Amino acid sequence: MADGSAGVGATLRAGLSDVASAARDCWGALAFAVVLSVMASVLPPGARFVAALLAGVIAQGALLRRAFGRQAGFKGLRWGRDEWRLLAAQLMILALMLLIGAILMVVVGGVALGVARTAAPGFDPGTINGWKAAFASAGPAGFVLTLAPLASLAILIWLGLRLSLSAPATVEQSGVRVLSAFPLTKGRVPALFLIGLAIAVPVALLSAVLSLAQGQGPAVAAVLAVCTYFYAMPAWTGSLAHFYRHSAVSQDA
């Protein structure tokens, strides 16, 4: 999966052990990202996407510049060339994910249509009741309809993890790196998945607890944003920076 220095345990320890220091050094950028994130929760969908994207780029830019010894700005808060490069890389990755996602949706739709027509020769695709009746009579073939979306989700997660070292490569190499960072994660997706899962569990648990509270206003959004940008983002970014260093060294060797 990876050598000892870039294994799951070592990488996760590197990311988690640096959270407090990273938050202290970059609190300006992280706090600004929290504000943008909370604002995004009350904005229209288009503006919400832009605010969330900028929040992530500002926070990740500050953390990665710190990780690679770049000029920090005021407690990480700045917008410079690294942020423009990160924004370009994120948009390229998003475009690629949307393209692959659209292709997978067509495939899943084709599978669903094939199963429905096989199960019910007189099936009417123009009505919801027609789809329900076809799937109800599909029998074991209906199991395929469950696997197809899950397989599509797994492919998108795999692709996201394969491209996860794009951000550290972009900052460290001072250039937009997307597909050129792809080889760095070859054979290491399971490790990255476990690291990301371990970091995400506390945020998911907190979100589940807060979902039980009455009213889902800005206060709840603020709590989740603070947890995301002062814990999960530094932990994940620190883990990626550690993983990138050792992966790049291994590739060079």
Side-chain angles (χ1 to χ4, degrees):
M1 185 178 296
D3 57 54
S5 57
V8 174
T11 303
L12 190 57
R13 283 193 299 272
L16 293 176
S17 65
D18 195 43
V19 167
S21 297
R24 182 181 63 249
D25 295 340
C26 301
W27 66 262
L30 300 179
F32 190 74
V34 168
V35 172
L36 278 178
S37 182
V38 174
M39 288 175 56
S41 66
V42 296
L43 292 175
R48 183 181 309 166
F49 166 76
V50 172
L53 179 63
L54 292 178
V57 169
I58 289 170
Q60 195 171 46
L63 293 166
L64 286 172
R65 280 189 280 102
R66 172 185 177 273
F68 294 111
R70 300 295 183 85
Q71 186 176 356
F74 175 71
K75 295 301 179 181
L77 184 57
R78 63 170 292 186
W79 185 278
R81 293 182 179 179
D82 288 326
E83 282 72 22
W84 282 116
R85 294 182 187 114
L86 283 172
L87 179 60
Q90 291 298 322
L91 290 175
M92 290 173 65
I93 291 173
L94 178 62
L96 181 60
M97 297 286 280
L98 288 175
L99 175 62
I100 300 300
I103 294 172
L104 291 172
M105 285 182 64
V106 172
V107 173
V108 171
V111 171
L113 186 61
V115 170
R117 283 181 171 169
T118 301
F123 143 80
D124 179 10
T127 64
I128 296 178
N129 289 333
W131 283 96
K132 288 182 178 179
F135 293 157
S137 60
F143 183 63
V144 176
L145 297 175
T146 304
L147 289 181
L150 291 177
S152 299
L153 178 61
I155 290 172
L156 290 176
I157 292 174
W158 174 85
L159 180 60
L161 291 172
R162 284 301 307 267
L163 296 172
S164 61
L165 294 187
S166 169
T170 292
V171 173
E172 195 271 337
Q173 299 179 27
S174 298
V176 178
R177 302 289 183 264
V178 178
L179 295 180
S180 60
F182 199 77
L184 297 175
T185 55
K186 183 178 180 181
R188 298 182 173 183
V189 167
L192 288 166
F193 177 77
L194 291 175
I195 293 164
L197 184 63
I199 292 171
V201 165
V203 181
L205 291 176
L206 177 62
S207 179
V209 171
L210 291 176
S211 68
L212 301 176
Q214 293 183 349
Q216 299 295 314
V220 172
V223 172
L224 287 175
V226 169
C227 183
T228 297
Y229 286 104
F230 279 86
Y231 156 69
M233 182 69 81
W236 177 241
T237 304
S239 296
L240 289 181
H242 173 88
F243 205 89
Y244 169 77
R245 289 190 185 96
H246 292 282
S247 297
V249 168
S250 298
Q251 188 182 55
D252 291 340

